[in-house]
Amino acid sequence: MSVVESRTTPNPQHNAPKERKDKTDNSSGHVPVNANCHNTPPCAGIKMRTYIIDRKQGDLTLRIGQRDRTEFFVNSRALIRASPVFRCMLDGPFLERRPSDRNEPWVIYLPEDDPRPARTLFELVHLHTGTLLVFTETPHIADLYEMLIFSDKYDMIRALQPWANVWASRMTVDISDPIHILYLMGVQREFGALDSLVRLANSMLLYCGTDEDGNLSVKGGAIDPLGKRRNMHLVPMDVLDNITAARQSILKTYFTRIRDFIEKLKSPLVLEGQEGCTKYPQDEQNACNRRVLDLVVAALGTEEMECIQTDPGDPVPYQKSLYHLTEPLHQIDLGLRFALEHRKCPSRSTWVAGLIVKGVERIKAYEERPEDMWNLVSQENREYMLRQREKLGEVEFDSEMFERGKWETICEGGLNGPML
């Protein structure tokens, strides 16, 4: 494969542009050329980068892109074998089919596509794996996502099968960057990696906070508004909605429990000795109950107390992560264990451990559970990913990206406050 400088439409007397060897760059021997054409056939004198993918059997020129137009001289049969879409275009009754005059150049314009991922796919289907070493060593998540956009459009996902596991295990991704999280979700969906997407969704449920508008957030900013960016159609956006809904359900449950707990400590039944501390005489019972109440209120911060007072029909305005919510629950538990004189008081074991403290383990369990207990991934996405898995086989992502230590860092500072 080589790159040449093309200034005009290829000569009809030649199947491929002639190679220029007088100017090369320092790394690959290629001649870098910028493209300045509009969405029209190239005009005389306009430079264009040309990749000769198949010099011996090439018969088709694809001109791709608008701002950075690039042309690829390829073997049409290789594209037909790899892509049902190209098969329809090149073998069907469409304008893109081969000209009846075999001496006439066969040229197709694809101005809406990106030439960078196109080149990678063309190299793959022509079995030029040697030129992909740099990409396969540490592919960037953005490059991988852009390539999947191209493969999705032309139904070329099967061509990625030999490389999918390599890319999934070695790709460069920063989970504190909201755009990287969206790209990662899209890549997992296209690779049919359902288990990995479920683990990612569970981690986001546990560790992501929200901004003032209720959008899921990480250290690098809010996630959801970026979904409006161009070319995000591969991202399962409904997963973000499901995470937000599940988060609200969990918050409502635990803040309701804490509010009910506080109200019970103030109720006449407690004052009459029918609930709360029942082990000791009446005056000591009331002292114990008051101390429990003071401990709970002291453990909750200003934001938590505001959430307790939220109307049941309104969203809970809690911006920190669910992981942060475990801190006041732990403080209540520890305070009741070591600070109270009545160490065996039923109010500790029954009221708190039963209603609040078990919530700590339950919240943390979302990270450990491999199953999708909150149905964060819709049935439609599940069915799609199963079809993708049939094409690619089982694709496993690097397990280190789901480790607690990595996700704890996205909560540090910024919108989500200090770590535990």
Side-chain angles (χ1 to χ4, degrees):
M1 193 279 295
S2 59
V3 181
V4 301
E5 181 178 331
S6 174
R7 292 184 178 275
T8 60
T9 304
N11 191 325
Q13 303 301 322
H14 297 81
N15 287 334
K18 294 183 178 180
E19 184 173 359
R20 289 276 302 274
K21 297 184 178 180
D22 53 340
K23 297 180 180 180
T24 61
D25 60 26
N26 295 328
S27 58
S28 60
H30 297 160
V31 180
V33 182
N34 293 326
N36 298 304
C37 293
H38 298 287
N39 186 12
T40 57
C43 304
I46 298 296
K47 295 183 179 180
M48 179 184 298
R49 178 174 296 173
T50 300
Y51 290 94
I52 301 178
I53 305 295
D54 193 333
R55 174 171 294 279
K56 293 183 178 180
Q57 296 181 312
D59 57 353
L60 169 65
T61 298
L62 297 175
R63 289 182 178 152
I64 299 179
Q66 294 180 348
R67 183 174 303 175
D68 299 318
R69 177 167 289 183
T70 307
E71 68 177 21
F72 299 89
F73 189 67
V74 300
N75 183 339
S76 62
R77 306 314 299 177
L79 297 186
I80 289 172
R81 288 191 297 267
S83 165
V85 178
F86 275 118
R87 183 186 307 126
C88 291
M89 290 172 57
L90 306 180
D91 263 359
F94 300 101
L95 293 176
E96 293 86 357
R97 67 184 182 274
R98 181 192 294 271
S100 56
D101 184 357
R102 292 303 177 107
N103 291 324
E104 181 181 350
W106 189 6
V107 182
I108 296 177
Y109 301 94
L110 304 174
E112 297 181 356
D113 295 327
D114 187 340
R116 294 173 302 170
R119 178 193 172 190
T120 303
L121 265 297
F122 294 157
E123 299 281 10
L124 280 175
V125 300
H126 286 79
L127 304 180
H128 295 171
T129 55
T131 60
L132 298 174
L133 289 179
V134 175
F135 184 83
T136 55
E137 285 178 358
T138 55
H140 193 276
I141 184 66
D143 295 330
L144 187 54
Y145 181 84
E146 292 296 331
M147 187 177 64
L148 288 173
I149 289 178
F150 191 89
S151 70
D152 174 69
K153 180 176 181 178
Y154 294 99
D155 196 7
M156 301 176 72
I157 192 69
R158 292 182 188 274
L160 308 183
Q161 193 274 334
W163 299 95
N165 266 298
V166 176
W167 292 335
S169 62
R170 298 180 183 179
M171 66 181 178
T172 303
V173 58
D174 179 7
I175 57 174
S176 67
D177 186 330
I179 193 66
H180 281 209
I181 289 183
L182 290 177
Y183 284 152
L184 179 58
M185 292 170 63
V187 170
Q188 289 173 329
R189 179 177 178 270
E190 288 302 297
F191 279 173
L194 178 58
D195 292 343
S196 293
L197 180 57
V198 168
R199 290 190 66 184
L200 175 63
N202 284 338
S203 296
M204 293 171 66
L205 175 62
L206 177 61
Y207 290 107
C208 284
T210 61
D211 63 7
E212 294 180 353
D213 297 324
N215 299 306
L216 292 174
S217 303
V218 291
K219 188 176 181 180
I223 298 174
D224 198 34
L226 294 176
K228 301 175 183 178
R229 292 168 61 110
R230 180 175 174 268
N231 289 336
M232 284 296 170
H233 59 279
L234 299 186
V235 179
M237 291 297 180
D238 58 331
V239 173
L240 297 179
D241 296 333
N242 295 337
I243 293 174
T244 300
R247 171 186 161 87
Q248 276 294 313
S249 177
I250 296 169
L251 290 174
K252 284 181 179 292
T253 297
Y254 287 107
F255 281 116
T256 298
R257 288 181 176 181
I258 296 173
R259 181 176 62 246
D260 292 345
F261 181 49
I262 293 175
E263 293 301 320
K264 283 183 178 181
L265 285 171
K266 298 178 181 179
S267 69
L269 292 177
V270 172
L271 298 178
E272 294 172 4
Q274 298 181 31
E275 289 190 13
C277 178
T278 57
K279 185 176 180 62
Y280 299 95
Q282 184 69 42
D283 57 341
E284 295 187 18
Q285 289 180 23
N286 291 336
C288 180
N289 293 330
R290 284 194 299 271
R291 188 163 187 176
V292 171
L293 177 60
D294 293 341
L295 180 64
V296 172
V297 173
L300 300 174
T302 302
E303 183 176 357
E304 287 80 7
M305 291 302 296
E306 292 178 354
C307 293
I308 290 175
Q309 301 169 8
T310 302
D311 186 88
D314 296 334
V316 179
Y318 188 73
Q319 291 183 239
K320 298 177 183 178
S321 67
L322 293 181
Y323 190 74
H324 280 85
L325 184 58
T326 62
E327 181 179 18
L329 301 184
H330 269 307
Q331 289 180 356
I332 294 172
D333 184 35
L334 292 174
L336 291 169
R337 287 179 184 274
F338 302 110
L340 294 181
E341 296 176 358
H342 300 163
R343 298 285 178 87
K344 298 181 180 180
C345 177
S347 64
R348 179 178 68 85
S349 60
T350 303
W351 288 29
V352 181
L355 295 176
I356 299 178
V357 177
K358 286 184 179 179
V360 176
E361 285 71 27
R362 184 174 177 84
I363 290 174
K364 289 185 176 180
Y366 302 140
E367 178 186 36
E368 309 296 335
R369 292 175 181 267
E371 69 270 18
D372 190 359
M373 59 182 298
W374 282 97
N375 297 319
L376 302 178
V377 182
S378 67
Q379 185 62 31
E380 180 181 359
N381 278 318
R382 288 172 177 273
E383 293 173 356
Y384 176 83
M385 295 176 75
L386 289 176
R387 293 194 296 270
Q388 295 295 94
R389 184 183 298 180
E390 292 176 358
K391 300 175 183 178
L392 288 174
E394 191 75 24
V395 178
E396 297 183 1
F397 284 73
D398 183 8
S399 60
E400 290 185 0
M401 74 172 62
F402 304 110
E403 290 180 352
R404 174 175 296 182
K406 286 184 176 292
W407 281 93
E408 284 179 349
T409 61
I410 73 170
C411 298
E412 187 175 358
L415 294 170
N416 298 320
M419 271 307 300
L420 299 181

